[in-house]
Amino acid sequence: MTRATADSTDIRSAQTFATDEDLLPRVLAPYKEHCRYLLAAEVSGLPGGLSRVRATFAIPESCYIDDTGHLNAVEVNIAYNQMMYYLVAKSVKERLLTGFESWTLEDFWRHQLPDILIARFASRFRRPVDPRDFLGEMEFRSVDLRSPGGRPLLTATTAYRYWDTEGGRCDGDATLAFVDIT
């Protein structure tokens, strides 16, 4: 296993990028119209070639169940996916994320659905979160290049959290696998 590293003094680690109004709709294009929960997203570079996103969400109506009155596990996962896809796309575009230095946005579009997998996903619900108006944050904690059986793949550990203005809280972590990256 080889850990991909970046120079922590890279100027990109100090930059923050407001919502990319051209990129966001393209990232969300695979989702059905009523399942596009991510409204805005600000991406920041972090030291060590990592990145973070802070996002605004609204789920006016659940896409699969009657109103529960709170953010539920399925919606947490959908919101995570949208936040993660946007973070990877913006990080590729701005050259923020270790392990993706050779990727272009065209590479991201090609890999978005078939080759970016959630290998592990965990959620902890602390207090109910209002799904109609909430915030989220996700960050890459590490990105590792592996070559099991000679086929390179990137694995990434991430952490996320959601909250609302009434003290609702949910957090968790996920491990991603980026397969067929060549």
Side-chain angles (χ1 to χ4, degrees):
M1 168 176 73
T2 304
R3 179 166 290 233
T5 59
D7 181 6
S8 63
T9 61
D10 183 349
I11 190 72
R12 296 272 184 193
S13 70
Q15 290 186 308
T16 298
F17 301 88
T19 303
D20 186 323
E21 300 295 340
D22 295 324
L23 187 65
L24 182 59
R26 179 111 191 252
V27 167
L28 297 179
Y31 292 88
K32 297 186 182 311
E33 188 78 33
H34 67 284
C35 295
R36 295 178 186 165
Y37 304 152
L38 179 60
L39 304 178
E42 180 180 274
V43 170
S44 300
L46 299 175
L50 301 174
S51 57
R52 169 185 330 159
V53 63
R54 187 169 187 157
T56 303
F57 295 93
I59 303 174
E61 181 179 8
S62 178
C63 66
Y64 77 101
I65 195 170
D66 286 340
D67 188 6
T68 61
H70 58 81
L71 189 65
N72 63 52
V74 171
E75 291 157 344
V76 162
N77 195 306
I78 293 169
Y80 173 88
N81 274 5
Q82 292 177 10
M83 194 165 42
M84 179 269 297
Y85 283 144
Y86 182 81
L87 178 56
V88 173
K90 188 65 174 171
S91 294
V92 164
K93 182 177 180 180
E94 303 301 339
R95 310 310 243 173
L96 299 175
L97 194 55
T98 292
F100 296 87
E101 294 87 352
S102 67
W103 278 34
T104 64
L105 276 177
E106 287 308 312
D107 293 321
F108 173 78
W109 305 130
R110 188 175 74 251
H111 292 292
Q112 181 180 7
L113 295 182
D115 300 325
I116 302 175
L117 312 174
I118 296 176
R120 189 179 60 77
F121 193 80
S123 299
R124 292 170 292 281
F125 293 86
R126 311 294 185 175
R127 290 191 46 156
V129 175
D130 179 359
R132 284 162 189 70
D133 182 18
F134 66 102
L135 299 171
E137 190 172 70
M138 179 212 158
E139 71 179 45
F140 278 90
R141 298 251 168 111
S142 69
V143 178
D144 296 310
L145 177 62
R146 300 175 185 212
S147 297
R151 295 184 63 190
L153 69 100
L154 292 170
T155 60
T157 58
T158 69
Y160 68 91
R161 66 186 185 109
Y162 301 112
W163 67 97
D164 63 23
T165 59
E166 301 301 314
R169 245 181 52 186
C170 171
D171 59 57
D173 49 78
T175 301
L176 303 173
F178 298 81
V179 300
D180 293 329
I181 59 171
T182 55

